Structure formats: structure tokens, C-alpha cells
Amino acid sequence: GAASPNGANAPLYVVDGVIVSSIEGLNPDDFESVEVLKNAAATALYGARAANGAVIISTKNGEGKKKEPPVKIRTNFNETAFFYPQLLTDKQGNLSFSFTLPDALTQWKWQVFAHNKAAVFGLTQKTIVSQKTLMIQANAPRFMRQSDTMQFSAKISNLSDKPLNGKATLELIDAITLEPVDKAFLNSGTGISFNVPANQGTSVAFSIRVPATFTNPLTWRVVARAGTYSDGEENTLPVLSNRMLVTESLPLFVKGDTTQPFTFTKLLLQKSTTLQHQSVTVEFTTNPVWYAVQSLPYLAKYPYECAEQTFNRFFANALGAYIVGSNPAIKQVLDVWKKDSTAQKSNLAKNEALKNILLQETPWVLEAQSEEKQKKNIALLFDNAALEEAYGTAIKKLQQMQLANGAFSWFKGGYEDRYITQYIVAGIGRLQMLKAVPEKQLEALGSIAQKALQYLDETIAKDYAELLKYKGDLTKNNLGNVQLQYLYTRSYFDNIIPPASKVAYDYYYQQAKKYWVENNYYFRAMTGTILLRHNEGGFVQKNIVPALLENAVTGYETGMYWKQNERGYCWYQAPIEQQALMIEFFNDMRALSPTLLQQVDEMKTWLLRQKQTNHWATTKATADACYALLLGGSDWLGTTKKVTIDIGSTTINSSSQQQPAGSGYFKTTIPASQVTPAMGNIQVTTSSAGNSSNKMPAWGAVYWQYFEDIDKITTAATPLAITKKLFVEGNTDRGVVLTPVNNGDRLKVGDKVIIQVILKVDRDMEYVHLKDMRAAAMEPVNVLSGYKYQDGLGYYESTRDAATNFFISNLPKGTYVFEYPVTITHTGNYSVGLATAQCMYAPEFNSHSEGIRVRVGIKK
């Protein structure tokens, strides 16, 4: 009200920051201080209630100073106000309901549609504005990068009819530890005074510097106070590394009960002065199923939206349900993990946009902070409700990506891609063979497969028609890689092939049988699988199996593998995928030759030794490896061994580690502060439970992760070369002029900068991913992803918060220039980052540009 609580002429009393109606009962001897404010000053602080002045009393039991009222911090910035309506009707039939808007101060589009039983309807649309008398809105970047300096700015708006004087503050918090980090970021924390005229706005800017060693996400909180008015915003953004994370691994493999030393040479001899440890992780198991379990979350959460990875999300969830259904012991363990008491999600865990950036740019940040959280993440993936939702989402996306003729392109909007189409159809066939397709998704997945098979059948018929049209010699080897992959894909399905396509199918089938010896090992195994499924096991057993076994390399630690082709950049030169196909082929052959069980186990051993920290090198390799590990082989479930691992002066005993029932699996992560070069000396001791002894293998690995300056990381020579340049776009009387920006040059806020990436390739390549990082002060102009065409090259361009991605399915030999515009938004000193290019399914073939740093001032 306008009057103070004690009457029209009484002053307002504030005791220890609390407004009271009376001070009766208070002993003046207990007063620490008394401050009397005159009318104008009191009204400025407490509004009309203090029109007659204010007496501010601090007691000896109080804090000795005036308490500022708490500020409600706005944290919910959802773009949609979702709510479940509860409609209330009054006597006149008017409906009313309430809902809570998100915390964004903006305009909202409000639409209402109502109808009755007679189909009489009404529709209205309104605009709702959410605002406060005093508002502060941060102009936060999408991300920050280590060692950047910047002016973190915010806009302050005054919607009242009088000027407001106050103070704005910025608080910085480590989003993982929840500890303040203002000091590390050189943020003074004292605040900035502001004076905003009535119905106007102003801006404030806080100078900060990102520490070179800070790697966690950062929570920022800006607060403005002016008298009784206040406002605040809080959000979290990622801090990206200006260095590269390198993972070195050392496989650990032992047979039977033994003690065996290992030497991690790179860790033992590392002497770099700029190297920064991230962690050393030790894992060990006697059950390969757990390697598949661990890898599935990687497949399910991979961020890009190409057809292959969209399918493999479904593939991962389907395999997860299959593993749980076929292994009761695993199901029991996962049920226990799901009941973990750490079920509450933090604001960081709820922030999907932030998680996507971290997954793409700093994947190590989202690795679980403890073994318990890792277990819970895996268990939640296999939650029935989550699986059902994931199935439906992946199937809908696949249906949307499938072209009208049944084919798939690599990315939506691109040309039809036979390899990707055949890969997806073969994956569906694999799930059907494992009986891992969810019952509710059988019809939808079957429809996708049938439409794709119709396209593939028509395409193989066209291939054969082309041979006839150009009078090719039909007796020669006319079988290409894509035709052989078609035969393999078709072998999973026994539905009738149309007559026109059957002629072509039979021709290429006979070609595969006749010319199998001219193919590499990958295609020999593929041919053997095709022939086996056509009841030609005798031919396969007599010819293909001996030819493969006599060229296999077998070692005590390495297992069985095929050395042949070195790693290539084509889909048929991928060693993990080749090994998975070998396992599938020889597992199918066991029906005719049961003695091949040992070879299948040896092949799985090699496959397990190639695993990285929580997956294989690519999504496609990981999917194939998981499938191969779930095929037949020795019954490793239930094998129990006692394991002791000495790594440097640290001893890890399996008996002291929590192990899922029947798995023999444990994992320990040693933090950076405890990592020493002496940990390169490792000794593993295994012994069977009780007095028995078994010769079953046990294996694991040590992973050393560290950060290193980019110029000190050596990469293999590749056919890719990449250059990155910046240009400022300016308008002159001669038209648009581009001025080059050199390393360390000064830009201005508001400048339009053209980023140019030049990619040179000396041979034809396929499935290339070009990724260009941006500075934190650069806001992209093109924000919509889509398929584009330039200089005869088609590619999918995807704009993300920290980088722009270009996905090129076919990259012919030549030089290509990619350009896109950005706008400079913040002052400071920034690293622009690198441009990198690599084969998406052969990541060893990669290249990167030099780093660039720019300074940004205020445009005059």
C-alpha cells in the first residue's frame, strides 16, 4: 500500500533486512546500528511504502548490514511453453486455465483452437509479451575457447517512467564442480555501475580471460539491481580446447593363468613440455559382450544426421534390447544400475544443446565422472521406455530420408547412394537374422527394406542392361564392388526377385563364383557368405575357406587377422569391417566345419584389440564390431578370473573392483594429477577362481589421453591438403571488396567476414567430412543446414554452434573452394581454430590447416 505499516505518518521499519509492522518488544541495547533515511531516499529504495521515510535497524544478532532482497534468476529458455491444460468452467460457461511461461523475455505466439460436439469451432491468435520493469539480457557467445580474452556484454533495459541507478554483476561457475571460477577468469566480481534513463536501455561489458587449462563447461550468471528492481539470467556454455585430445592405447591380452609384463613405450618415454595429461584408464574383462554393451551408447548418441548414422542409432537400440533379452545376468545388472540413487539430473544434464556441442567438440567432457554414472548411463540406454521412444524416432527419420524410388542418400537432399542403401538394407537383414528387430517395428522396418530392395533390384537390372547395350564381353569379369555388395545384401532376404532383375542377379552371382579368386580378402569372405546362403557350402569349404586360412596371420597376442591391404579410404578397405565380415563368414561355416570355433575366437580377439576408449574408430566400424561379437563363439559368459594389474606404483585388484555379475569386467580411471611416466611399466597377473585352471583368454587395455599443441601432433601423409583464409567484406565505389585478414590482424565488431577453406585432393575419394572451426566472436550468417551444389560438387552443409561441417559423398581429384560468411559480435582476442578434413569411415586419412588468431575492437 501507499502508507507504511504503522499508520499514515509512521516511517517504514526495516529490521535486519526484513520489513516489520512494529518494533515493539525490541531492546534498543541489542541494536548494532540505526540508519534513518529521509523520504526521497527511502522511497527510492522501498517505493511508495516508504513515503514517510525509513528506519533501518541492524541488531547485534543480525548481519550488521542491510540485506539485499534475493534476485530471481531466469534459467529456463525453452522456445516453447509446454503445459498440460486443466480447464476450469465458471457459471457462465467461460473457460479459464493457467500456465507458466519459460524465463525468456520476449514475444510469444499464442494460438487457441476450440470446438464443441457439433463441430462448431473458433480460432484465435495473439501475441504475449513477457517483460520486467528492469531487465538484463546477456549477449553471450555460443561457446568459449581456451586462452581467449573477451568482453562479455549484456543489455540493461528500464521500462519504468523514471531513471534507475544500480549495479550489474557477472558470476562465473564451473558447471561440473559448481565452484566459483571468477578469479581464474580474471573477473573482478565487484560489478559495474549503470544509470539507465526512463524507458531506455544501456549496455555493460565484463572483461574476462579463459584459462588455458580450463576444460569444463562454464555457467555464467548476470544480475542487475536498481533499488527494489532486479533481474538475472543464467545459462551454461561449453569451453572448447585450443589443443587436440590424443588417445594412445595399449592392448592387454593374456591366455590362461599367468603373469605377463607390458610396456607402454609412448607413456614411459614422453618428454614434451607442453603435454597435458587428461587421464589413464585401465579396463579388463573376460566377456566380450560387455565391449558391445559399452559401445552402444556411442552409436545411439552420435550427433550427425546422415542416413548411415541414423540407421545405426536404431541398430544400437535394437542390439541393446537383444543383449538384455538374451542375457538374463546382464538384465539383472542393468536393473540394479537403473535404481542408482544419482537419478536426479543437473541443469547441465538437461541442456541438450550444450550436450550436442560438447559431444562434437569436447567429447571427453561428457565421459562419466565416476564408474557409477557410467553404469547408469548404459542402463538408461537399455530402459524399455527409452528404447521404445528411440525406435520410433529412428524409424520416422529413416522413412523421411528414404527417397521416392526407395534409395537413400548419404545426407538428406543429396543424390541416391547405392552403397549407403545397401549398407542399411544389409543392417536390417543382420537384425532379422539375430531376431533382434523389435516386434512393434517389424512392419515399418520391413516396409523400408522392401522399398529399398525394389530400387536395388531395378538398379542391378540396369547394370546388366548397360553391359548388353554396349556389347560387353559377358565371359570376362564384369563384377564390380557395388554389384558384389548387392549380392551380399540380397542374401539376407529370400523374397522373390522380379524376372527382369533375376536374369541380372543370376549373371552376377555366377560372376562372383567364377572370379572370387581375383578379389581381395574382404570380397572373398563376402562371396563365401553369398554362396553359403545358396547351399553351395561344398564349393566354399573346398576353395574359399582354405584360401583365406592360408593367408591369415595368427599370433599369441594378436589373434587371427588378414594383413593384406593397408588401411584405405574406400568402404571396402576398412579393416574393422573386414574382420567383422570374416567372423560372420566363418561363424556361418561352423555348421559344416565345427572345428572353426577356435578360429572364430581368434578373430574376435583381434577385433577386441582394436577397440578405442569406448568404441571403434567410426560408427560403421562400431556397429559391425558389435554385431560380430554377438555372433557364435565360445561361451565366455560366466568365466571368472582373479586379476591383478600393476601400473607403475599403482595396483588394481579385480577383487576390490565392482564387477557386473558374470562379466569379470572392471574399469578404473586414474586422473591427470596422478599420471606419471612410470605407469608405462605394466604387469598383469591372472588366476582362475578356486583351485581350477582354465585357458580362456582375458583381455583389456590401457588408454592414455592427453592434450598437446596441434603443431606437435604428427599425422600420416595423406592425399588431402587444406588451407584456411579470412577476408573482410567491404563496400566501395568499385563494388564489394575482400580484404585478407592475416594472423593477429585487428577486426571490428559488426564486420562481415568471409571464411574461405581450400581443399586439394590428388585422387578420387569418398565420404569426406570437412569441418571448419570458428572463433567464439563469429556468428554464422547461414544457419540452415541443407544440400548444396558448387563447381560440379554436391555436398551437405551443416552449421553448428562451434563449427561448420561439409559432408561430401564423392570427392573427385581436384581443388575445391568452400566459403561462408560470419559476423563479428564480441571484442577481445580469439583463436579461430582449424579446418580439418578426413574420410569419415577411414579417419586415419586426415589433414588440418594452420591455426589463426584475431583481435576484435569496437567499430567506430
Side-chain angles (χ1 to χ4, degrees):
S4 57
N6 296 319
N9 298 316
L12 186 74
Y13 291 102
V14 184
V15 180
D16 290 337
V18 179
I19 299 174
V20 298
S21 59
S22 172
I23 58 172
E24 292 181 7
L26 289 179
N27 187 347
D29 293 335
D30 293 331
F31 292 173
E32 179 76 16
S33 65
V34 177
E35 180 182 2
V36 179
L37 292 183
K38 299 299 182 181
N39 297 11
T43 303
L45 275 179
Y46 297 102
R49 302 182 66 185
N52 299 309
V55 178
I56 302 174
I57 301 172
S58 296
T59 67
K60 293 178 180 178
N61 295 326
E63 296 178 355
K65 63 179 180 179
K66 179 182 65 177
K67 292 183 178 178
E68 292 183 319
V71 179
K72 184 181 184 306
I73 306 296
R74 294 179 287 108
T75 59
N76 178 9
F77 299 101
N78 292 338
E79 295 182 357
T80 302
F82 176 79
F83 61 97
Y84 292 105
Q86 183 180 5
L87 304 181
L88 303 176
T89 309
D90 62 15
K91 294 179 180 180
Q92 287 75 38
N94 297 310
L95 293 174
S96 64
F97 56 93
S98 63
F99 63 96
T100 302
L101 279 174
D103 292 334
L105 303 176
T106 186
Q107 288 188 345
W108 302 88
K109 183 179 180 181
W110 167 258
Q111 290 181 300
V112 179
F113 177 82
H115 67 88
N116 62 14
K117 294 181 179 179
V120 178
F121 67 89
L123 177 66
T124 184
Q125 178 177 310
K126 302 289 184 182
T127 298
I128 300 174
V129 178
S130 56
Q131 61 186 29
K132 300 177 69 175
T133 303
L134 175 69
M135 296 183 292
I136 184 168
Q137 294 169 294
N139 179 27
R142 294 171 181 253
F143 63 93
M144 292 182 178
R145 203 182 296 277
Q146 291 174 345
S147 299
D148 282 354
T149 60
M150 77 172 340
Q151 294 287 318
F152 191 101
S153 58
K155 177 185 176 182
I156 300 175
S157 301
N158 174 15
L159 299 187
S160 71
D161 55 2
K162 59 183 178 181
L164 292 178
N165 302 318
K167 182 172 287 189
T169 59
L170 170 68
E171 299 174 53
L172 302 176
I173 302 166
D174 187 320
I176 299 295
T177 65
L178 302 182
E179 295 292 329
V181 291
D182 297 284
K183 186 175 181 180
F185 279 72
L186 304 182
N187 178 35
S188 64
T190 57
I192 298 175
S193 298
F194 63 83
N195 183 354
V196 193
N199 296 305
Q200 294 187 36
T202 188
S203 63
V204 292
F206 304 88
S207 297
I208 59 175
R209 179 181 175 84
V210 185
T213 58
F214 191 86
T215 58
N216 288 346
L218 179 71
T219 295
W220 54 263
R221 181 186 298 149
V222 288
V223 175
R225 291 186 178 89
T228 57
Y229 301 116
S230 63
D231 186 34
E233 274 191 354
E234 178 184 305
N235 215 328
T236 301
L237 50 77
V239 176
L240 308 184
S241 175
N242 203 29
R243 314 174 90 193
M244 279 192 172
L245 180 73
V246 183
T247 300
E248 308 281 1
S249 61
L250 174 69
L252 306 176
F253 177 81
V254 295
K255 281 186 177 178
D257 299 338
T258 184
T259 297
Q260 188 169 335
F262 298 87
T263 302
F264 205 153
T265 306
K266 286 193 174 182
L267 176 57
L268 192 65
L269 300 179
Q270 71 87 10
K271 296 180 180 178
S272 173
T273 57
T274 57
L275 182 147
Q276 177 190 345
H277 296 294
Q278 169 69 7
S279 64
V280 167
T281 300
V282 181
E283 67 173 355
F284 212 80
T285 187
T286 58
N287 180 5
V289 174
W290 285 96
Y291 278 86
V293 169
Q294 281 184 302
S295 301
L296 294 178
Y298 161 78
L299 282 179
K301 299 296 183 183
Y302 207 74
Y304 300 124
E305 297 295 330
C306 67
E308 172 265 319
Q309 287 161 7
T310 299
F311 170 73
N312 274 328
R313 290 191 195 103
F314 178 87
F315 191 82
N317 286 282
L319 285 187
Y322 170 78
I323 290 171
V324 171
S326 57
N327 293 274
I330 292 179
K331 184 179 185 305
Q332 292 176 6
V333 172
L334 295 177
D335 287 342
V336 172
W337 288 358
K338 280 191 289 189
K339 296 176 182 177
D340 182 2
S341 60
T342 62
Q344 289 292 330
K345 283 188 176 181
S346 66
N347 287 332
L348 174 62
K350 295 175 185 175
N351 192 330
E352 286 297 327
L354 175 65
K355 285 195 289 186
N356 287 336
I357 303 174
L358 293 177
L359 184 61
Q360 297 163 51
E361 308 298 334
T362 56
W364 57 90
V365 174
L366 287 189
E367 291 179 358
Q369 301 297 307
S370 66
E371 186 68 17
E372 288 72 23
K373 288 182 181 178
Q374 281 190 23
K375 292 175 181 177
K376 185 160 186 65
N377 288 340
I378 294 173
L380 288 176
L381 173 69
F382 297 138
D383 179 75
N384 288 333
L387 286 173
E388 287 289 336
E389 182 181 356
Y391 291 150
T393 300
I395 288 291
K396 286 179 182 177
K397 285 187 176 181
L398 275 178
Q399 290 172 332
Q400 292 169 0
M401 299 182 79
Q402 192 168 24
L403 304 177
N405 63 357
F408 288 91
S409 59
W410 190 32
F411 275 86
K412 190 174 182 179
Y415 294 117
E416 57 193 47
D417 190 312
R418 285 178 72 178
Y419 166 70
I420 291 296
T421 303
Q422 290 174 170
Y423 175 83
I424 291 173
V425 176
I428 294 173
R430 287 178 166 183
L431 290 176
Q432 291 177 345
M433 184 168 286
L434 281 175
K435 296 183 176 164
V437 178
E439 187 174 346
K440 291 183 179 179
Q441 306 300 334
L442 275 171
E443 183 177 350
L445 204 62
S447 175
I448 290 173
Q450 290 308 313
K451 285 180 63 179
L453 283 172
Q454 182 179 349
Y455 159 77
L456 295 174
D457 290 339
E458 292 172 355
T459 307
I460 201 72
K462 290 178 182 177
D463 290 344
Y464 184 64
E466 288 289 310
L467 277 177
L468 298 178
K469 179 179 179 181
Y470 294 103
K471 297 181 171 52
D473 189 345
L474 299 183
T475 62
K476 292 184 178 180
N477 185 1
N478 296 308
L479 184 70
N481 302 325
V482 72
Q483 286 85 18
L484 187 56
Q485 188 203 20
Y486 162 79
L487 297 175
Y488 171 74
T489 300
R490 245 316 181 169
S491 71
Y492 285 103
F493 301 89
D494 55 7
N495 57 315
I496 298 174
I497 302 175
S501 302
K502 186 67 166 63
V503 174
Y505 180 92
D506 291 341
Y507 171 75
Y508 287 114
Y509 177 85
Q510 292 302 323
Q511 288 260 298
K513 183 177 179 180
K514 181 178 179 180
Y515 293 107
W516 68 270
V517 75
E518 295 183 12
N519 288 323
N520 63 20
Y521 300 139
Y522 183 82
F523 287 128
R524 289 183 186 182
M526 188 175 284
T527 303
T529 302
I530 295 166
L531 297 176
L532 266 178
R533 292 172 183 173
H534 284 77
N535 300 315
E536 297 206 48
F539 178 88
V540 175
Q541 190 172 23
K542 180 182 178 181
N543 297 283
I544 298 180
V545 170
L548 288 175
L549 289 179
E550 71 183 12
N551 288 287
V553 178
T554 304
Y556 173 81
E557 294 185 8
T558 60
M560 178 181 285
Y561 67 103
W562 282 261
K563 195 170 184 179
Q564 179 212 277
N565 294 337
E566 292 299 324
R567 180 59 150 133
Y569 43 83
C570 294
W571 63 267
Y572 49 83
Q573 296 175 310
I576 300 299
E577 290 88 324
Q578 173 181 289
Q579 189 77 358
L581 185 65
M582 289 289 187
I583 293 172
E584 180 183 29
F585 168 60
F586 279 97
N587 185 66
D588 287 350
M589 277 300 304
R590 284 175 51 206
L592 298 175
S593 303
T595 56
L596 290 175
L597 173 64
Q598 180 180 351
Q599 282 87 347
V600 172
D601 287 344
E602 293 285 352
M603 292 176 210
K604 288 187 177 182
T605 296
W606 184 90
L607 192 62
L608 290 165
R609 287 172 58 85
Q610 310 309 307
K611 180 174 170 288
Q612 296 181 0
T613 50
N614 66 340
H615 55 85
W616 283 264
T618 67
T619 52
K620 193 161 67 73
T622 300
D624 284 5
C626 289
Y627 170 73
L629 290 175
L630 295 176
L631 294 174
S634 297
D635 182 14
W636 283 319
L637 286 170
T639 301
T640 304
K641 285 180 179 287
K642 181 180 178 182
V643 181
T644 301
I645 301 176
D646 295 306
I647 176 166
S649 59
T650 302
T651 299
I652 302 169
N653 291 306
S654 60
S655 56
S656 61
Q657 301 288 320
Q658 291 187 353
Q659 301 179 40
S663 73
Y665 175 82
F666 62 89
K667 179 178 178 180
T668 299
T669 298
I670 301 170
S673 59
Q674 299 176 24
V675 175
T676 63
M679 290 181 174
N681 293 315
I682 302 164
Q683 181 174 281
V684 178
T685 302
T686 59
S687 58
S688 301
N691 298 321
S692 61
S693 176
N694 69 64
K695 296 182 179 180
M696 293 298 294
W699 55 87
V702 177
Y703 307 107
W704 171 39
Q705 292 186 302
Y706 60 89
F707 293 98
E708 180 58 287
D709 289 344
I710 292 171
D711 59 358
K712 294 192 177 182
I713 299 174
T714 58
T715 58
T718 75
L720 290 168
I722 189 167
T723 305
K724 179 174 180 176
K725 297 180 180 179
L726 305 183
F727 298 90
V728 175
E729 182 179 291
N731 294 315
T732 68
D733 53 2
R734 293 172 293 145
V736 176
V737 174
L738 297 181
T739 305
V741 179
N742 299 313
N743 191 27
D745 278 1
R746 191 176 189 87
L747 301 172
K748 296 181 290 294
V749 171
D751 278 349
K752 183 177 181 180
V753 173
I754 305 299
I755 297 180
Q756 184 184 90
V757 180
I758 302 172
L759 181 63
K760 295 182 179 180
V761 57
D762 66 3
R763 68 197 71 181
D764 294 347
M765 302 186 75
E766 59 183 13
Y767 303 113
V768 175
H769 175 201
L770 170 61
K771 176 180 177 179
D772 183 41
M773 303 177 187
R774 296 189 302 271
M778 292 179 173
E779 181 67 18
V781 176
N782 303 327
V783 295
L784 298 180
S785 300
Y787 216 86
K788 297 184 178 181
Y789 300 90
Q790 174 183 301
D791 300 330
L793 185 72
Y795 58 90
Y796 185 84
E797 182 177 331
S798 174
T799 302
R800 299 298 178 105
D801 283 321
T804 297
N805 299 278
F806 304 88
F807 299 93
I808 311 155
S809 55
N810 290 290
L811 184 65
K813 176 182 177 180
T815 301
Y816 303 91
V817 178
F818 300 86
E819 290 184 344
Y820 65 96
V822 297
T823 302
I824 304 299
T825 58
H826 292 76
T827 61
N829 189 311
Y830 302 94
S831 169
V832 182
L834 305 175
T836 61
Q838 67 177 183
C839 284
M840 199 145 178
Y841 303 129
E844 295 91 331
F845 291 89
N846 62 78
S847 181
H848 61 76
S849 68
E850 294 182 351
I852 302 174
R853 181 166 285 276
V854 295
R855 296 178 298 157
V856 181
I858 299 175
K859 195 167 188 175
K860 296 182 180 179

